[in-house]
Amino acid sequence: MTFFAMGGYAIYVWPAYGISAIALIGLGVTSWRALRRNERLVELADNPDRRS
Amino acid sequence: MLHYANPQHFLSLARRLTPWLLGAALLLLAVGVYLALFVAPPDYQQGEASRIMYVHVPAAWMSMFVYGCMAAASVAAFVFKHPLGDVAAKAAAPAGAVFTALALVTGMLWGKPMWGAWWVWDARLTSVLILFFLYIAYIALWDAIEEPARAARMARILCLVGAVNIPIIHFSVDWWNTLHQGSTVFRMDGPKMPVSMLTPLLIMAIAYTVLFAGLLLVRMRTEILARRLRTLRLNLEGAPA
């Protein structure tokens, strides 16, 4: 498994890729959730009758 | 162009563009990471640690590119009273902060094995840290000021004053003696890097840029809806019971 050893630099290379992935996925998920939330709220505000 | 200055037209265009941009970003990221980890050769001096470059350099470029976009949007808001200028700058800031944090953290993970230190107070690292604080201050300013028009004005000023930091970051490696290496891609005499490394690097950079464009549209839509909600609430409060 020389690939995962990264020539002895595994403890630096993998965290760099891991942190990048986590941060960008996190940014994407929070941005998307905020959009969905506001879309729901505007929908509710435009049609107040449907509030239950 | 003016057609899309209308938030309603912008919303419908953004809604159609978002899935294409995010889909393209994922595809480019998959190709870029594959090339970076499996195809690109190890550096003759740095060995496999050089693979950190493919996540560090695009994040660092984006940290400056996003700020440049925010500055351009702030100018558009100031000079042309463009209604989407403030929306774009405000929506971009958290993404810029994330890219800057990634540039700093992946840089530390690269610095430790190569320089023997996680952090050094040299011109490049310090000016990027200042950029990170500028993003944080910009985001905090929007939250701190209650009245939207005043918050927008203060945010534009902060953004444009902070923009002097961008050329400082770029030229820091030439102006001062730094541990950080100089530019190898954006040089007057062309890139000084083998194609086998330059290709994955550029694909990752394009992937990050397209991802930012997609996220920016998502976040701008969120902000436009938030503004609409605020007016709806104000109307409700003003209406007779």
Side-chain angles (χ1 to χ4, degrees), chain B residues 103-128:
Chain B
L104 289 168
V105 172
T106 57
M108 292 167 108
L109 286 162
W110 201 1
K112 183 63 182 167
M114 291 301 124
W115 302 339
W118 298 106
W119 185 265
V120 286
W121 290 103
D122 91 348
R124 173 54 69 82
L125 279 69
T126 307
S127 54
V128 174

Side-chain angles (χ1 to χ4, degrees), chain B:
Chain B
M1 262 333 264
L2 273 179
H3 178 69
Y4 294 109
N6 177 324
Q8 207 51 50
H9 295 152
F10 172 81
L11 273 179
S12 72
L13 176 76
R15 205 175 295 125
R16 270 178 288 138
L17 275 180
T18 303
W20 292 101
L21 287 171
L22 293 180
L26 288 180
L27 202 67
L28 284 163
L29 279 173
V31 174
V33 168
Y34 170 75
L35 291 177
L37 289 178
F38 295 96
V39 180
D43 185 71
Y44 80 103
Q45 278 183 324
Q46 303 198 353
E48 307 287 347
S50 64
R51 295 190 196 282
I52 294 174
M53 173 180 72
Y54 305 107
V55 285
H56 171 73
V57 173
W61 281 345
M62 291 310 291
S63 73
M64 295 161 73
F65 176 72
V66 173
Y67 202 93
C69 291
M70 286 168 58
S74 298
V75 168
F78 241 138
V79 181
F80 308 111
K81 310 272 179 261
H82 195 295
L84 291 175
D86 295 320
V87 172
K90 187 183 177 188
V98 168
F99 285 125
T100 312
L102 280 178
L104 289 168
V105 172
T106 57
M108 292 167 108
L109 286 162
W110 201 1
K112 183 63 182 167
M114 291 301 124
W115 302 339
W118 298 106
W119 185 265
V120 286
W121 290 103
D122 91 348
R124 173 54 69 82
L125 279 69
T126 307
S127 54
V128 174
L129 185 65
I130 290 171
L131 177 66
F132 179 68
F133 290 142
L134 278 170
Y135 277 119
I136 299 301
Y138 180 90
I139 296 166
L141 192 61
W142 273 106
D143 287 335
I145 301 176
E146 196 71 37
E147 204 229 313
R150 213 170 82 83
R153 205 162 50 242
M154 298 299 285
R156 287 174 208 158
I157 293 169
L158 173 67
C159 178
L160 292 176
V161 169
V164 296
N165 192 38
I166 296 299
I168 292 177
I169 293 174
H170 180 73
F171 292 109
S172 59
V173 285
D174 304 326
W175 291 344
W176 291 282
N177 245 328
T178 65
L179 209 45
H180 196 284
Q181 66 185 74
S183 301
T184 38
V185 178
F186 293 118
R187 297 166 59 90
M188 299 300 277
D189 52 354
K192 247 175 58 179
M193 192 186 285
V195 175
S196 55
M197 294 172 133
L198 190 60
T199 309
L201 179 60
L202 291 182
I203 291 177
M204 287 299 280
I206 295 168
Y208 273 40
T209 311
V210 176
L211 178 69
F212 167 65
L215 291 179
L216 179 64
L217 290 184
V218 168
R219 302 188 64 91
M220 284 177 74
R221 284 161 66 188
T222 309
E223 177 63 19
I224 291 170
L225 293 176
R227 287 171 182 217
R228 190 184 292 173
L229 278 171
R230 197 160 46 214
T231 16
L232 285 171
R233 287 213 184 95
L234 287 177
N235 289 345
L236 272 181
E237 280 166 17

Side-chain angles (χ1 to χ4, degrees), chain A residues 9-37:
Chain A
Y9 294 115
I11 57 160
Y12 304 108
V13 174
W14 295 119
Y17 278 79
I19 290 166
S20 301
I22 290 167
L24 293 179
I25 292 168
L27 180 66
V29 168
T30 50
S31 301
W32 194 256
R33 279 196 186 150
L35 175 63
R36 282 276 165 271
R37 179 174 170 274

